[in-house]
Amino acid sequence: MTDTGADVDKRVTEAWARIEAGLSRVLPASLRQLNAPAAVQAIDAVEAALALPLPQNFRASLRTHNGTKRGYDDSGQLQPSPVPLEYLYDTNEIIEMTRMWRNNYHPEPDWDDPQVWAHLVDEEMLWLNGPVRPIIGSPGAVVVGDMNGDVQWLLDFDPAPGGTPGQVVRVDVECVSWDVLAPSWTQLLVRYADDLDLFAADPDSSPLVITHPGAGPACEWGSTPSDSWGVRPAWLQDVQARSPYP
């Protein structure tokens, strides 16, 4: 599946339609948390503010839903999230939160090194799944969603070898884990739609966790499997480990 060409918008629209259909079966109350489409001018403003072109598939997604709402309704009732996060950012929040992410970037030559990452993975101090560089505040990332400030979804435009620019990465800073959820935003939406379908048919067969309908799907979707700590991703397999400690 590619994410360029005339049919990109159609694939994104179809993926969102599948997600909405799945939510209508599993979490119908969450549908009201999906925002209206973003104006093209607002999407263009994101690119201008971040000096980075957004993938066509993500632009198409914003034109379908400009992020999601979060929190409580006017009666004080907690509303379930329609995604495995607290919420997806709208265009203004993408700018704000990506700037905040980038402001946390401080190059660390002794640490921002594949040899060090290999050592940390081997010692089970870092978990990497897929071709992603674990750099906090990477200027090559656009932040698009959040769960309690601990878990973020990123569009990664500076992937590790074997990765795809624009791939979607789940970062859990507290648990020091980085997971490539999908090679593109379209494929992320399709993956989520598939898992909603599985959950509707047989909850135990789906990677989604929905134990409290008022809160929506848990952010553990894409989280670290307990038996994979200490396992290097393919792109780090042949790297000689180096400890960063004196």
Side-chain angles (χ1 to χ4, degrees):
M1 179 188 296
T2 62
D3 284 299
T4 59
D7 59 344
V8 170
D9 290 10
K10 180 174 181 288
R11 289 201 302 271
V12 170
T13 300
E14 290 174 346
W16 268 117
R18 286 188 59 206
I19 289 170
E20 291 168 29
L23 291 171
S24 70
R25 296 191 298 273
V26 175
L27 276 176
S30 70
L31 290 170
R32 65 175 66 100
Q33 299 301 98
L34 294 167
N35 284 338
V40 172
Q41 294 88 340
I43 301 172
D44 291 342
V46 174
E47 295 185 330
L50 301 181
L52 192 66
L54 297 173
Q56 183 180 348
N57 54 42
F58 191 68
R59 288 182 62 96
S61 184
L62 290 171
R63 293 197 307 272
T64 304
H65 293 296
N66 187 17
T68 64
K69 300 180 181 67
R70 59 173 173 165
Y72 299 81
D73 62 16
D74 294 339
S75 67
Q77 182 70 32
L78 178 66
Q79 297 300 298
S81 172
V83 294
L85 287 171
E86 187 175 354
Y87 69 118
L88 291 176
Y89 299 145
D90 63 23
T91 49
N92 290 329
E93 291 164 329
I94 289 172
I95 294 171
E96 177 185 356
M97 300 309 292
T98 300
R99 284 174 169 169
M100 185 180 300
W101 173 266
R102 292 177 179 180
N103 287 340
N104 288 325
Y105 178 58
H106 303 288
E108 297 283 353
D110 291 335
W111 289 83
D112 295 343
D113 182 332
Q115 291 184 312
V116 172
W117 301 332
H119 169 81
L120 296 176
V121 171
D122 292 347
E123 296 298 316
E124 299 187 6
M125 300 170 67
L126 169 68
W127 186 79
L128 299 178
N129 177 37
V132 56
R133 296 183 173 92
I135 299 176
I136 298 295
S138 168
V142 172
V143 191
V144 299
D146 181 270
M147 173 62 81
N148 295 329
D150 297 323
V151 175
Q152 284 87 32
W153 283 3
L154 314 174
L155 299 181
D156 178 15
F157 295 97
D158 184 27
T164 304
Q167 64 187 9
V168 188
V169 176
R170 177 189 184 276
V171 179
D172 187 333
V173 176
E174 184 176 357
C175 293
V176 203
S177 67
W178 301 67
D179 180 73
V180 178
L181 293 176
S184 72
W185 188 255
T186 305
Q187 288 163 283
L188 175 90
L189 296 178
V190 170
R191 174 181 174 181
Y192 185 44
D194 288 344
D195 287 345
L196 281 170
D197 288 344
L198 283 173
F199 191 92
D202 179 9
D204 292 336
S205 69
S206 173
L208 286 169
V209 178
I210 306 176
T211 57
H212 177 42
C219 70
E220 281 79 5
W221 191 65
S223 63
T224 309
S226 59
D227 61 353
S228 64
W229 280 91
V231 178
R232 297 190 194 183
W235 67 279
L236 272 183
Q237 285 295 324
D238 298 326
V239 174
Q240 182 176 357
R242 176 178 69 82
S243 173
Y245 304 104

